[in-house]
Structures are given as C-alpha cells and as structure tokens.
Amino acid sequence: MHFDILTLFPEMVRAVDSSMIRRAEKNGILDFNFVNIRDFSRDKHNKTDDTPFGGGPGMVMMADPIFGAMESVDAAHKRVIYMSPRGRIIDREILEELAAEPSLVILCGHYEGVDQRALDYWNAEELSIGDYILTGGELPAMVLVDAVSRLIPGVLSSEESAMEESVYSGLLEHPQFTRPRSYEGMDVPEVLLNGDHRKIHLWQFEEALKLTARLRPDMFEEYVRSASDLAKDERKVMEKVINML
C-alpha cells in the first residue's frame, strides 16, 4: 500500500516509519510519501493560513496550497482522508475497508481546520480517532497508518494475528506473562506452565471475559449476544463469568 501524507510538519509524521512499519517498507509492502504543504504556497513567506471569513478565533489553512499538494500526488485517482475531530470515529470496519485500498492520501489539518473547498473538491472523507481535540492531524494520521498497516498481509509476522488481537476478537486481551516465573513475590499462573493447550486457552478465554466485563461492559454484552459458535467448554466458561457478575 502507498501512503501520501500531506502535512505542514513532515518531520513529525516521519516517525511513523519505524519498527514493523519500517520492516514492511523494506519488504516492499508499504510505501510512504511525506508531502510538505508549505512547498505549494504562492506566498514569498510560504504562508499557508489566513483568518476565517465571518470572524472567529484562530487561523484556517488556505485552499490553494492544499490543492497544489493534492495535485502533486494525483489525489483525483486516490481515496482521500482528512483527519478531523468532526469525522467518523475509526473502527474495525473502516480500517478493513481502507486496508484493501492500493493507496491513500491523508491530509493533516492544523490551526482551526482547512478551507472547506479543499475538502469538497477532493472529496475528502473525514475520520477521527476520538472525541477530543489535538493541535493538528499529524498524530491521528500516524494512528491511522499504524492501524491500517497491521491489517495488510505480510506486515505482521503472522497474517492471522491482527484479527485475533484484543478488540478485534470481540474481547479485551487476556493477561500476558514472560520470564522469570516468579518476580517480587508474584508468580505466573500455574495453568500457563503445564503445557495443556486446551486448559491454557480456556484460562485465557475466561480472563479475557472477566477483563472485558469489568472494563468494557458494552463490548462484553455484545460478545455474549453474538457468541453463537462457542465450543461446549467455552460456553461453560462464559456462563461461569456471567454468573459471577
């Protein structure tokens, strides 16, 4: 997948190109183009913002530099995303949809936002990472890139692991442990050490149910409603947890 990230601060979003994403880029699975919107300003001082018509606080990113940046990446033939607090909150469905695209253009807003004409002309789809305000769209863009990339085959070491992880599975992830077996008087649960994979699975399933019921009761209720294909022993575990509530 190819990402064009349009921003006033390319040095900030370049940080996304690290760890597993850097490995995927080296393997030819991901490709990045960081575009500085200031390079397309017609102002001698590279100005990219101005006061809003109608008054109000702050500054608004001007349409013209954004148009130039969009044209430079052939955005007319790509799906365009604008990271915005007023957009649809990112979820599994939209991430899977975006992961199937050959390329994405991600516009990072700043100040009080961008001239609406830039969004309308380029048919920008507004997405948000949550109901809160950040200084700019760079951090949300990095979140989007990371979340989408994990769903692209070959980015993770196991192509199946992305959908088995916390949240995507319908439950929060069970507790994890590693060496040493005992630390500061706290021991790894014995069930994880006996080599009985079915018992281990059931323990992990029960712990995931308990955590989800405690931390995300909405998710737990949805999981219970939709859990129609559980094995007999898994259903017994779920009924046990329900009875504990």
Side-chain angles (χ1 to χ4, degrees):
M1 169 178 277
H2 177 79
F3 292 95
D4 293 300
I5 304 180
L6 281 51
T7 171
L8 295 176
F9 302 96
E11 69 280 3
M12 183 175 181
V13 290
R14 283 194 181 97
V16 75
D17 185 15
S18 59
S19 186
M20 66 172 187
I21 292 181
R22 169 63 64 84
R23 184 176 64 246
E25 184 179 19
K26 289 182 178 179
N27 292 335
I29 301 171
L30 302 178
D31 181 48
F32 294 92
N33 177 30
F34 302 101
V35 179
N36 191 337
I37 297 173
R38 293 186 192 278
D39 293 342
F40 299 90
S41 172
R42 301 175 192 269
D43 180 79
K44 65 180 180 179
H45 300 296
N46 294 327
K47 184 178 180 181
T48 58
D49 63 310
D50 209 334
T51 54
F53 281 121
M59 306 290 279
V60 175
M61 289 177 63
M62 302 162 66
D64 189 59
I66 296 174
F67 267 65
M70 289 287 188
E71 290 167 352
S72 76
V73 299
D74 194 26
H77 298 99
K78 300 176 182 178
R79 188 165 179 173
V80 178
I81 305 297
Y82 171 54
M83 305 309 302
S84 163
R86 70 186 186 187
R88 170 186 171 185
I89 294 180
I90 297 168
D91 57 16
R92 171 178 170 177
E93 181 181 355
I94 187 62
L95 291 174
E96 291 178 336
E97 188 179 311
L98 295 178
E101 295 283 342
S103 64
L104 294 174
V105 177
I106 304 176
L107 172 63
C108 303
H110 222 74
Y111 312 117
E112 292 301 313
V114 307
D115 190 307
Q116 185 64 38
R117 291 168 293 187
L119 303 179
D120 293 342
Y121 184 90
W122 296 101
N123 194 29
E125 180 178 353
E126 298 190 42
L127 294 179
S128 170
I129 62 170
D131 292 329
Y132 45 87
I133 307 299
L134 297 173
T135 304
E138 286 75 20
L139 289 175
M142 294 167 70
V143 169
L144 181 65
V145 168
D146 191 283
V148 169
S149 297
R150 295 175 66 86
L151 300 181
I152 298 174
V155 171
L156 298 181
S157 57
S158 170
E159 293 184 2
E160 297 182 355
S161 64
M163 301 316 298
E164 293 175 354
E165 288 179 325
S166 175
V167 180
Y168 293 151
S169 68
L171 295 173
L172 298 182
E173 190 173 36
H174 56 77
Q176 299 278 10
F177 301 88
T178 188
R179 293 182 177 84
R181 291 174 59 167
S182 181
Y183 184 75
E184 295 289 339
M186 297 177 287
D187 296 330
V188 174
E190 190 65 29
V191 66
L192 300 179
L193 307 174
N194 63 22
D196 188 324
H197 296 295
R198 190 59 185 171
K199 287 184 178 179
I200 291 173
H201 166 73
L202 292 175
W203 179 88
Q204 293 173 336
F205 181 54
E206 180 175 347
E207 293 301 309
L209 286 167
K210 290 176 181 177
L211 278 173
T212 307
R214 179 164 58 89
L215 300 177
R216 288 290 304 274
D218 58 322
M219 185 184 295
F220 178 78
E221 291 175 6
E222 176 60 29
Y223 184 85
V224 171
R225 281 196 299 268
S226 60
S228 59
D229 58 348
L230 294 178
K232 185 177 180 179
D233 52 1
E234 291 174 330
R235 186 158 295 280
K236 285 183 178 180
V237 168
M238 186 170 73
E239 291 171 355
K240 171 187 173 183
V241 173
I242 293 173
N243 291 331
M244 292 170 57
L245 299 179

